[in-house]
């Protein structure tokens, strides 16, 4: 078996996978060893949760893109050859999506076949995968996670700005119609949650939230909505635009699902969740007639490092623990900028809440809605051994004309 996915820096869940030059031989040996030890070959089940869904395709795509947080076990590497062409590459991710969309046959589930008379569903298995982001809000419904999955609420649709969105269906229903700008897989205590981001029209930015492949909620930039029954609803309002606060976004979420930071299984996923903050901000800017900002990976690293520094040292300051300023951090990273700014946050419990908290503050709001900036990076962190808070940083800049 060959692979076009290098992984020399990657640490999988069960052991360290190293696939440099002689990759085809290494993966083939891994496959033979797995069968020798009685492993079950289920082509497409990359995260080895005994089912095939969008999270498998996303995990494999991230692995092939050399995402260091994309961790695949030895069993998963064997299953990753979804099209069984003896090569692991992005074509396998596409093949998994085609299986979900019923364009090609789905392989028989060996876990069901090997246990006659037993019904196995994705709700009965444990999932293992990675990815996520952060924020603040106004109207909150407390969410609890139950040990057993409740019945799907009867109302299967959510309407925002006169557009209807399905609930309780496979996320491939949406991704099959319009390709998402980005798909983020995040590992929560209950298993993988997928965020499919649709932002081609920023003022109508939509984030579909899927658990076990079914859509269980949405974050939507909007001015009006009709809430589905049986779902938790959180409104985000701009208190500066009217006495009652003008609605600019809403989150609807199935009652047994939480996207809070403190429900993450892996705190490293905070780095992934920062992207949600970025897309939500651009939706907010577009609603206010402003141009969107461009994601800047180096700025994101600087923002993340400052959040880590604040969390590790139990402080809430724009200066680093060593006295370095935001300007110094940017220049030290080789960012020769024309205009710059920074927002910091402490204590918010999800990415959308953090954005809402910044919007409600005069100074931070100026940065969010400024026309002086063209680029942004966002990063979040947490240190359970310090004060137990989650910290966030947004760094903004624009560059000198060429």
């Amino acid at each position: 078996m060959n692979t076009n996915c290098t992984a020399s820096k990657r640490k999988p869940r069960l052991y360290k996978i190293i696939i440099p030059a002689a990759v085809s031989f290494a993966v083939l040996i891994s496959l033979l060893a797995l069968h020798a030890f009685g492993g079950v070959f289920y082509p497409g089940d990359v995260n080895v949760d005994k089912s095939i869904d969008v999270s498998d395709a996303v995990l494999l795509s991230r692995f092939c893109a050399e995402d260091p947080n994309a961790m695949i076990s030895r069993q998963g590497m064997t299953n990753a050859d979804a099209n069984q062409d003896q090569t692991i590459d992005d074509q396998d991710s596409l093949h998994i999506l085609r299986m979900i969309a019923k364009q090609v046959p789905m392989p028989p589930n060996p876990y069901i076949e090997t246990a006659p008379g037993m019904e196995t569903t994705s709700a009965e298995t444990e999932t293992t995968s990675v990815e996520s982001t952060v924020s603040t809000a106004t109207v909150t419904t407390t969410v609890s996670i139950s040990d057993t999955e409740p019945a799907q609420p009867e109302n299967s649709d959510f309407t925002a700005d006169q557009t209807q969105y399905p609930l309780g269906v496979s996320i491939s229903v949406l991704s099959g119609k319009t390709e998402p700008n980005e798909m983020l897989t995040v590992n929560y205590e209950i298993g993988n949650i997928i965020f499919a981001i649709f932002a081609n029209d920023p003022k109508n930015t939509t984030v579909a939230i899927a658990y076990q492949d079914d859509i269980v909620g949405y974050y939507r930039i909007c001015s009006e909505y009709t809430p589905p029954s049986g779902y938790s609803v959180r409104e985000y309002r701009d208190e500066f635009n009217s006495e009652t606060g003008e609605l600019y976004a809403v989150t609807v979420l199935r009652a047994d699902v939480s996207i809070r930071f403190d429900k993450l299984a892996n705190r490293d996923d905070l780095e992934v969740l920062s992207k949600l903050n970025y897309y939500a901000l651009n939706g907010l800017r577009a609603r206010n007639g402003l141009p969107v900002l461009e994601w800047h990976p180096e700025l994101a690293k600087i923002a993340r490092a400052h959040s880590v520094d604040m969390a590790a040292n139990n402080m809430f300051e724009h200066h680093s623990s060593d006295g370095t300023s935001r300007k110094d951090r940017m220049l030290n990273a080789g960012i020769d900028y024309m205009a710059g700014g920074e927002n910091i946050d402490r204590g918010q419990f999800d990415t959308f809440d953090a954005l809402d908290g910044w919007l409600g503050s005069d100074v931070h709001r100026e940065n969010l809605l400024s026309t002086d900036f063209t680029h942004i990076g966002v990063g979040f962190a947490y240190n359970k051994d310090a004060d137990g808070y989650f910290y966030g940083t947004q760094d903004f800049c624009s560059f000198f004309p060429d």
Side-chain angles (χ1 to χ4, degrees):
M1 183 187 297
N2 298 311
T3 177
N4 294 330
C5 307
T6 58
S8 58
K9 298 181 291 183
R10 191 172 279 113
K11 291 184 179 179
R13 291 194 181 280
L14 301 185
Y15 66 102
K16 191 171 185 177
I17 298 176
I18 302 177
I19 311 179
V23 96
S24 60
F25 179 74
V27 174
L28 179 58
I29 292 298
S30 177
L31 174 61
L32 293 175
L34 182 61
H35 285 293
F37 284 102
V40 177
F41 180 48
Y42 187 17
D45 182 19
V46 182
N47 60 14
V48 197
D49 66 352
K50 303 181 181 180
S51 65
I52 296 174
D53 55 38
V54 175
S55 64
D56 295 295
V58 173
L59 178 59
L60 183 55
S61 293
R62 291 175 49 215
F63 182 87
C64 287
E66 300 188 35
D67 182 344
N69 290 323
M71 299 177 286
I72 302 179
S73 68
R74 179 170 61 180
Q75 170 91 55
M77 284 298 296
T78 302
N79 294 342
D81 185 19
N83 59 12
Q84 302 183 56
D85 65 353
Q86 302 302 304
T87 300
I88 298 174
D89 55 20
D90 283 331
Q91 290 303 308
D92 293 295
S93 300
L94 178 61
H95 192 82
I96 294 171
L97 292 175
R98 293 182 66 194
M99 288 193 296
I100 295 169
K102 298 182 179 180
Q103 295 177 357
V104 296
M106 181 78 73
N109 190 326
Y111 298 99
I112 296 177
E113 290 185 344
T114 55
M118 293 183 63
E119 294 184 2
T120 303
T121 67
S122 57
E124 296 171 331
T125 61
E126 294 182 359
T127 56
T128 51
S129 226
V130 196
E131 250 180 0
S132 276
T133 274
V134 251
S135 245
T136 332
T138 311
V139 179
T140 307
T141 301
T142 302
V143 175
S144 60
I145 298 177
S146 59
D147 294 331
T148 58
E149 185 172 352
Q152 181 70 28
E154 293 182 3
N155 191 330
S156 59
D157 292 300
F158 158 64
T159 302
D161 287 347
Q162 300 180 344
T163 301
Q164 199 171 51
Y165 298 92
L167 287 160
V169 300
S170 171
I171 198 167
S172 60
V173 171
L174 287 183
S175 56
K177 295 179 180 179
T178 305
E179 184 176 353
N181 297 77
E182 194 161 357
M183 294 185 72
L184 307 175
T185 303
V186 182
N187 191 16
Y188 284 86
E189 293 172 352
I190 60 172
N192 291 336
I193 292 180
I194 298 173
F195 299 89
I197 303 160
F198 301 88
N200 285 334
D201 181 8
K203 67 179 180 296
N204 292 314
T205 293
T206 303
V207 180
I209 304 168
Y211 171 55
Q212 295 180 337
D213 192 40
D214 288 337
I215 298 175
V216 295
Y218 291 91
Y219 173 84
R220 175 65 151 83
I221 297 290
C222 63
S223 56
E224 62 179 13
Y225 72 98
T226 301
S229 60
Y231 285 76
S232 300
V233 177
R234 192 169 205 171
E235 296 180 346
Y236 304 89
R237 294 183 175 273
D238 187 351
E239 305 295 339
F240 283 77
N241 282 350
S242 67
E243 289 184 5
T244 57
E246 179 182 311
L247 181 73
Y248 71 86
V250 65
T251 295
V252 297
L253 198 60
R254 208 174 73 188
D256 65 318
V257 177
S258 173
I259 59 173
R260 286 166 54 116
F261 295 147
D262 58 345
K263 300 301 181 181
L264 289 171
N266 185 348
R267 297 291 189 250
D268 289 340
D269 282 349
L270 286 167
E271 186 174 358
V272 180
L273 288 170
S274 62
K275 271 299 190 71
L276 292 182
N277 190 269
Y278 159 72
Y279 282 108
L281 169 57
N282 273 341
L284 176 64
R285 287 177 61 89
R287 279 272 166 171
N288 283 272
L290 300 171
V292 299
L293 301 177
E294 185 176 340
W295 181 261
H296 195 289
E298 288 303 314
L299 277 178
K301 290 179 182 178
I302 295 170
R304 166 76 169 173
H306 187 58
S307 293
V308 169
D309 184 42
M310 287 192 294
N313 292 282
N314 192 16
M315 67 179 200
F316 187 52
E317 302 287 345
H318 285 282
H319 280 74
S320 301
S321 58
D322 63 0
T324 306
S325 68
R326 183 267 311 163
K327 178 179 179 181
D328 293 333
R329 292 192 294 270
M330 294 173 68
L331 293 177
N332 290 342
I335 300 177
D336 186 17
Y337 65 94
M338 181 173 65
E342 182 175 81
N343 287 343
I344 59 175
D345 167 75
R346 177 174 64 179
Q348 303 299 342
F349 278 99
D350 72 54
T351 187
F352 305 124
D353 281 357
L355 177 64
D356 193 66
W358 280 320
L359 184 66
S361 166
D362 287 337
V363 177
H364 302 93
R365 177 190 181 86
E366 289 181 13
N367 284 335
L368 295 178
L369 303 180
S370 174
T371 57
D372 294 334
F373 306 131
T374 56
H375 293 74
I376 186 176
V378 186
F380 293 90
Y382 168 75
N383 185 350
K384 67 178 181 180
D385 297 324
D387 55 20
Y389 283 121
F390 293 88
Y391 289 82
T393 304
Q394 290 178 319
D395 280 325
F396 305 82
C397 80
S398 59
F399 297 97
F400 293 99
D402 294 334

